[in-house]
């Protein structure tokens, strides 16, 4: 049985680091594993332009552990008011690598998001022109649409249109959760890719709801039935270059999660690559992990692959029950449970 895997250091193409005191924790967790990460801009207020991205980037860099070369890849948050000029300035900065579409009301801190896709057509045109990828939280927000069907509706009503209308625009369908999304991306042209989280590979809605409601498994888009989980495992382990690692690690305090109205988001940054290794091993596909975690993302974004290597060792270890999070606590996904792979500390 294989007991070590060496891979080129991976990157995380979708992470929430939050801001302020918690950056010390979130940045350290990400930097231990990943060389670079695409930093989600859904702060309050959101990261709307080059200057806000520059300031947030400085706060992240200042929170890096000593000696870390972790590189935050910044993202603009699209609002109805984002202009083509904002896009050009952001691209020219060199440190903004994408812009994110949050349909207004779809998820955490999305209230300043885009209310009608048509409002940002000129902005999307500019993004296609300068080569700034569009990242999408792909769910419709209409209250009459069942929450388990919102991703599928988004594909049919919105994403397919954007793909058709802007053939020159790179699009990442973020944190896909359904067979429909995996199929859509597979059949789409090469400018369309997708991130897949570790939790959507490891879990389905039974884990969230059967035998008791488990708030630490609640995220958006919500976990779907096991047939969708299987389709995501197929996609992630297929070797298809359109699919790559994006944890969507999205910490909320323990109190905000364990509540009558709990927040959406799973904290996976603490052990992300180990969780992915476990998912790939379930499929006997460990040899496909490196391409998914370390090659497909930079290739899609047009960035160089990392050169440094990391090693995962087969070793049982137990995740902490909770982690410090500013002056509060965050519960990592799989808290108190045993993982079977462990990332070796860097010399
Ligand atoms: N994924 C989540 O459940 N939550 C994210 C937002 C998001 O990525 O949709 C968050 O910022 O908390
Ligand atoms: Zn999202
Ligand atoms: Zn996210």
């Amino acid at each position: 049985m294989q007991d070590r895997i060496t891979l080129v250091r991976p990157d995380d193409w979708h992470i929430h680091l939050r801001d302020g005191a918690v950056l010390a924790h979130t940045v350290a967790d990400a930097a231990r594993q990943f060389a670079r990460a695409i930093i989600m801009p859904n702060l309050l207020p959101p990261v709307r332009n080059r200057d806000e991205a520059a300031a947030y980037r400085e706060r992240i860099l200042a929170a890096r552990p000593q000696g870390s070369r972790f590189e935050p890849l910044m993202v603009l948050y699209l609002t109805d008011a984002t202009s083509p000029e904002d896009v050009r300035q952001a691209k020219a900065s060199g440190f903004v690598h994408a812009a994110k579409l949050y349909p207004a009301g779809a998820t955490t801190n999305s209230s300043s998001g885009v209310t009608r896709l048509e409002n940002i057509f000129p902005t999307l045109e500019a993004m296609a022109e300068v080569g700034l990828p569009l990242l999408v939280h792909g769910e419709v927000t209409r209250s009459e649409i069942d929450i388990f069907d919102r991703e599928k509706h988004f594909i049919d009503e919105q994403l397919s249109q954007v793909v058709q209308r802007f053939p020159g625009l790179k699009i990442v369908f973020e944190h896909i959760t359904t067979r429909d999304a995996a199929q859509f991306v597979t059949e789409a042209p090469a400018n369309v890719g997708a991130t897949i989280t570790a939790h959507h590979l490891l879990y389905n809605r039974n884990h969230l709801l059967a035998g008791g409601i488990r708030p630490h498994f609640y995220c958006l888009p919500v976990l779907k039935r096991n047939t969708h989980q299987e389709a995501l495992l197929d996609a992630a382990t297929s070797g298809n270059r359109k699919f790559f690692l994006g944890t969507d690690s999205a910490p909320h305090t323990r109190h905000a999660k364990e509540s009558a109205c709990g927040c959406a988001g799973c904290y996976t940054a603490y052990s992300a690559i180990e969780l992915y290794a476990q998912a790939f091993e379930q499929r006997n596909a460990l040899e496909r992990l490196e391409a998914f975690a370390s090659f497909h993302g930079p290739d899609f974004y047009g960035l160089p692959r990392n050169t440094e290597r990391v090693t995962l060792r087969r070793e049982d270890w137990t995740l902490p029950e909770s982690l410090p999070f500013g002056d509060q606590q965050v519960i990592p996904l799989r808290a108190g449970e045993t993982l079977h792979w462990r990332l070796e500390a860097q010399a």
Side-chain angles (χ1 to χ4, degrees):
M1 189 156 68
Q2 188 182 2
D3 61 5
R4 285 165 80 84
I5 322 166
T6 299
L7 54 158
V8 163
R9 185 177 282 282
D11 303 303
D12 185 348
W13 300 94
H14 182 138
I15 195 169
H16 301 266
L17 296 177
R18 311 306 191 202
D19 206 352
V22 306
L23 281 179
H25 308 291
T26 56
V27 174
D29 284 346
R32 204 165 50 243
Q33 306 166 65
F34 300 111
R36 297 168 289 194
I38 280 279
I39 311 299
M40 287 296 135
N42 61 333
L43 305 179
L44 275 176
V47 178
R48 288 158 297 192
N49 53 50
R50 176 198 55 196
D51 292 348
E52 289 173 348
Y56 185 32
R57 179 169 175 272
E58 288 306 320
R59 298 195 293 278
I60 294 168
L61 292 176
R64 289 187 303 186
Q66 226 179 11
S68 167
R69 280 169 293 148
F70 174 73
E71 189 189 346
L73 309 173
M74 308 311 292
V75 177
L76 290 194
Y77 180 116
L78 294 169
T79 72
D80 287 340
T82 311
S83 66
E85 187 48 29
D86 290 326
V87 165
R88 289 193 189 96
Q89 275 189 2
K91 175 69 184 182
S93 76
F95 55 76
V96 175
H97 292 268
K100 177 83 187 259
L101 167 64
Y102 290 99
T107 187
T108 307
N109 298 347
S110 61
S111 55
S112 343
V114 173
T115 57
R116 285 180 62 237
L117 214 44
E118 292 72 21
N119 295 346
I120 58 162
F121 278 174
T123 305
L124 296 180
E125 198 56 65
M127 287 168 59
E129 236 173 76
V130 302
L132 195 71
L134 171 72
L135 317 183
V136 294
H137 178 109
E139 290 190 288
V140 297
T141 56
R142 298 198 309 284
S143 59
E144 70 275 19
I145 306 297
D146 188 273
I147 190 163
F148 291 101
D149 299 334
R150 289 180 181 190
E151 187 172 271
K152 166 90 170 98
H153 276 261
F154 185 85
I155 297 168
D156 297 345
E157 296 169 24
Q158 313 218 5
L159 188 56
S160 47
Q161 269 186 52
V162 178
V163 170
Q164 266 190 2
R165 193 178 178 107
F166 301 97
L169 180 64
K170 280 191 198 176
I171 301 172
V172 184
F173 194 174
E174 298 292 335
H175 49 42
I176 60 168
T177 64
T178 56
R179 187 197 313 114
D180 313 273
Q183 190 178 342
F184 177 81
V185 171
T186 302
E187 290 167 3
N191 58 308
V192 181
T195 54
I196 306 181
T197 77
H199 46 287
H200 288 98
L201 294 176
L202 290 165
Y203 298 112
N204 59 62
R205 66 196 196 184
N206 279 358
H207 296 96
L208 172 68
L209 294 169
I213 183 162
R214 293 186 182 73
H216 296 292
F217 287 137
Y218 176 59
C219 64
L220 288 171
V222 71
L223 292 167
K224 307 296 191 298
R225 62 170 68 242
N226 61 351
T227 49
H228 293 293
Q229 179 194 4
E230 292 299 324
L232 298 176
L233 280 161
D234 287 343
T237 61
S238 66
N240 186 331
R241 307 176 49 178
K242 289 175 159 171
F243 298 104
F244 41 92
L245 185 158
T247 61
D248 193 23
S249 178
H252 293 274
T253 64
R254 175 182 194 153
H255 289 297
K257 294 284 296 172
E258 297 175 10
S259 153
C261 184
C263 291
C266 300
Y267 191 56
T268 50
Y270 186 77
S271 60
I273 193 65
E274 290 108 336
L275 291 167
Y276 279 105
Q278 204 138 318
F280 274 63
E281 181 161 50
Q282 281 173 21
R283 280 298 184 100
N284 278 321
L286 278 173
E287 78 285 355
R288 294 267 166 91
L289 179 62
E290 182 180 44
F292 174 81
S294 315
F295 299 159
H296 297 168
D299 294 356
F300 186 89
Y301 275 81
L303 293 169
R305 294 179 181 181
N306 299 317
T307 50
E308 206 187 4
R309 303 178 78 80
V310 297
T311 299
L312 290 165
R313 205 176 49 237
R314 188 182 295 283
E315 176 191 322
D316 283 356
W317 63 290
T318 304
L319 258 73
E321 295 284 353
S322 78
L323 295 166
F325 193 63
D327 58 4
Q328 305 215 29
Q329 291 180 316
V330 64
I331 309 296
L333 192 83
R334 287 215 165 169
E337 291 181 42
T338 299
L339 294 187
H340 306 305
W341 287 97
R342 186 158 207 179
L343 183 68
E344 279 183 3
Q346 288 306 106

